[in-house]
Every structure is written in structure tokens, then in C-alpha cells.
Amino acid sequence: MYDTTSEKDVDQKTIKFSARKVQVFYGDTHAIKDVDVDIEDKTVTAFIGPSGCGKSTFLRCLNRMNDTIDICRIEGDIRLDGEDIYDRRVDPVQLRAKVGMVFQKPNPFPKSIYDNVAYGPRIHGLARSKADLDQIVERALRRGALWDEVKDRLHAPGTGLSGGQQQRLCIARAVATEPEVLLMDEPCSALDPIATAQVEELIAELRRDYSVVIVTHSMQQAARVSQKTAFFHLGNLVEFGETGNIFTNPEDKRTESYITGRIG
Amino acid sequence: MNTNHILSAFDRDLEGVQAKVMRMGGMVEQALRDSITALLSHDIEMAARVRQDDRAIDELDEAVKSDCARILALRAPTAVDLRVVLSVIEISSNLERCGDYAKNIAKRTPSVGVQHDIMETGTALRRMAEFVQAMLSDALDSYIHQDEDKALDVIQRDVEADQMYNTLFRSLLTHMMEDPRSIATAMHLHFIAKNIERVGDHATGICEQAIYVLTGEMPQEPRPKQDSTTRM
């Protein structure tokens, strides 16, 4: 049932996102400097680094969430399946349907569980009938590992769920539009260890179908869930490699200092 | 990696377990020295003491392993910290084995008579023991001072220890062929020589760990092997 692909099997993967010479400026602040990175399909990629290193900023470039910030300016080239996502012809709303996002704090809409999940498919016209939509909602909730817990109360408000359930609801909402990539910005930092484990288990399953990029402050979480790890420091991508290597034998002294918890 | 951890208790844990392994190293060196002295001076009491003291080495080995398990569970070490913990576990096992060899030499001491013609090999045995002890002490030095050159040098020296063993093997074999009455003593002396030779291998193992902690990789070149007695 589960594929037992180990973290060693990350080579020979197709590239989903390809970023070249990416620069991000917030006004005069140079937040991301010359970042080159390839993000693979069906792989969990973790972004780690100290606060303010630019990892979330870079994540938000991947589905143009930074477009909403007026003073933010992005240079360089980011391609999804070879297509420039900053091309004028690309509709950011369509892009975000393909590149879903889950945030730090669970943020369900103040609507029913059903409507939370049905929202995306509705606005993107993915369902032709009520039965169709029911099916999409069930599939998404199953993917979010939440179906069994909520199938009897689909019309109860999403905000009435526990924190961990709310986060899984947000993941279900994100996968309902059948995205190709899932971006997660510290998805477990507001969750208890059990809910965290459930979300991590879910990430491992989602990896079979999606490319997942996760920003995390927890070294152990990056080590547990990802196959590739990128270490950001002061806006630079310092090191990018196979997770097992990064955590046993990193090449760069800055990476080593950070992951071992040293001042440096 | 000289900078300290933000969490200073982590530094204390790592330093503590490394200190234990070094203390163990000192005890093993002492045990080897005493076992050879006891053998060559036929000092049964001293040999008995070596056998008794081995228990302390074994206990220290257990303490090191349980400290390491605790660090792994509580601190989840990564990168160089993880390599230090793994190397300490390995070195502790190396030293524990060396302690056993000293104990085995001590055990055989009462059975080795003072047969003069055979005890000529005693000089060769002493020379080999001193050579291997120096290897062991340099191996521990290379580990604690993170000295890759010294570690590589000790690994190379193992060739010489193997050759010393070959020579001893040949001369003991000759004694046994010439005079069957010497067989019992010569067999004991042969096992003792083999024990000493094995200490050299463990010193090499410790050096490999020193290099692993420094570089993250085991030394590339295959360990030199000069034991030709399997073909004699």
C-alpha cells in the first residue's frame, strides 16, 4: 500500500520547479540573493535556516504569494515544468490552484467542513454536479487523513475542529484543487506532537502524488519528512543536498553550526 | 568544530563521554604493560591483578555505551556531534577488546614456564608489545587532538606490527618442530603474540574513527595487511 521509497531513491526524478538567479527585494532590503535550486517531483524538500534567512520568502515566490506585497520585487527566473511563472500571461490564481499552500496557523474559512474543501473546486469549476463535488470533497478529506473523523459532521463549522484537525482540513482544502505542488510554511509549529506526527505521516503519503516543499524550524522534522534539504542563511542558499548527507556530513561550516545548534 | 553549543549541557555530555573513553584508554595501556611485565618476569600476582582489573574496563565500556544511548535519545545529535557519539561507541568497543587481550595474556602467564631457550622469544615479544602500545597511545592521541596525519601514520605502522608477528610465528614454529616438549609453552606464547598483534588492529580501528569524526568518511585506502601466517 505504501511505497517504501527510501531517501536514497531521490535521484532520477523529474524537476518540478527550477529557480535560477532569484533575487527578492523588500524595498531596499535584499532578502534573497542569487538562489539557484531545482525542486523535484514526488519528493519532499525541506527549507531550513534561522529566522529571517529568507526561506519563507523564497517559498512564497513559488506560488507568487509575494505579489500581494507592494514593496516586494522579484528578479530571476522561476519555472514550473519549464514555464516561467512570472510571465505576464500566467494568471496567479490559476498558478495557486496548481501550487497549493498550507500556512503555519490553521486558517479554515468560517464555513462548514464541507464548504472549506469545496471552495476551491467550486471557484475553479472542477465539479459538474453536486455528486461530483461530493466525491471531490470526500477524496480530498481522505487524502487529508480526516475523512473518518468528520464524515458524520461535514456540515459542522471547520473552526470547531481541534488544531490538528483544522490543519489537516487546510491540507485537504489545498489538495482539493488537485495541485501539483504543495507548499507548507511551518505546518506543524502550532500543533501538539500527536497532531504533528499525523501531519508528517500525511506528508509522507502526499509525496506519492505531489512535490512537497516544507519550511520548518524543527531540524528533526526536516530530517524525518524530507528527502532533500536546503539550508538558507542571510538570504543565501548555503547548501542543498540529500537530507541524510546534510544531517550526517554537511559540506558547509555554516550548515554544520546551524544543525548542530552552535553559535556561528 | 571548536565553537560551543548554544545549549552548554550538550557540550558537557559530549566532553564527559569522551573523557570516559580516554580514561578507559589509560587503563587499557596500563593493563597491557602490566600483563607483559608479569609474563616476562613470571609474576603471577601481577597477572592476577590484571585479570581482576579488567572488570573495571568492562564496566567503563558499559557506562560509555549507556551515556551514548542517553545522548542519542535526549540530544538527537547531528553532523559532527553524531559522528563523535558513533565514534565513541566504536572506540569503547575497541578498547574493551584490548583489555580482554591483556587479560588473556595474564591468564596464560601461570602456564608459561621459564623455559630458557623459548623465553628468548620474550625479547621479541616485549619489543612487539612496546611497539603496539605506542600505536595505541598515538591512536588515542590522534583522536583527541583531531590529528589526521598522526592517525594515518598509526594505520601505516600496523604493517610493521604484522611483520613482527610473522617473525614470532616462524620462530615459535621452529622451536616446536625442534623440540616437541616446548609445544605447550610455544602455543601459549603464540596466542600471546596474536593477542598483541590484535591490539595493533584495534589501534588502527581507533585511527579510522579519528578520521571519520574529522572528515565524515572512513579512510579510503584499504588497511594494510601483512599477516602471511595463513599461508605458512
Side-chain angles (χ1 to χ4, degrees), chain A residues 220 246-250 253 256-257 259-263, chain B residues 1 3-6 76 78-83 215-216:
Chain A
Q220 288 312 307
I246 298 271
F247 283 92
T248 55
N249 195 12
K253 282 288 159 217
E256 180 125 37
S257 289
I259 63 167
T260 57
R262 285 180 166 85
I263 306 152
Chain B
M1 207 51 14
T3 44
N4 293 330
H5 286 95
I6 298 167
T78 52
V80 69
D81 299 332
L82 176 64
R83 302 203 297 272
T215 65

Side-chain angles (χ1 to χ4, degrees), chain B residues 11-60:
Chain B
D11 285 327
R12 287 197 294 277
D13 284 356
L14 286 175
E15 283 161 15
V17 76
Q18 281 178 297
K20 257 183 206 160
V21 149
M22 287 301 126
R23 194 158 87 235
M24 210 175 148
M27 287 161 72
V28 169
E29 285 179 47
Q30 183 70 43
L32 282 167
R33 233 181 344 259
D34 289 354
S35 67
I36 295 297
T37 307
L39 172 78
L40 298 176
S41 58
H42 206 71
D43 187 337
I44 309 289
E45 266 174 50
M46 191 184 226
R49 225 167 22 245
V50 170
R51 290 172 64 176
Q52 225 166 31
D53 291 350
D54 186 55
R55 194 171 306 154
I57 295 173
D58 290 351
E59 279 168 6
L60 212 44

Side-chain angles (χ1 to χ4, degrees), chain A residues 127-161:
Chain A
R128 269 160 311 199
S129 63
K130 171 82 171 78
D132 219 8
L133 192 59
D134 285 353
Q135 222 176 23
I136 290 174
V137 168
E138 179 176 342
R139 195 167 58 225
L141 284 169
R142 281 190 190 280
R143 278 231 169 107
L146 194 61
W147 175 254
D148 289 337
E149 291 162 60
V150 301
K151 63 183 175 201
D152 300 325
R153 46 173 173 147
L154 289 176
H155 296 285
T159 47
L161 297 170

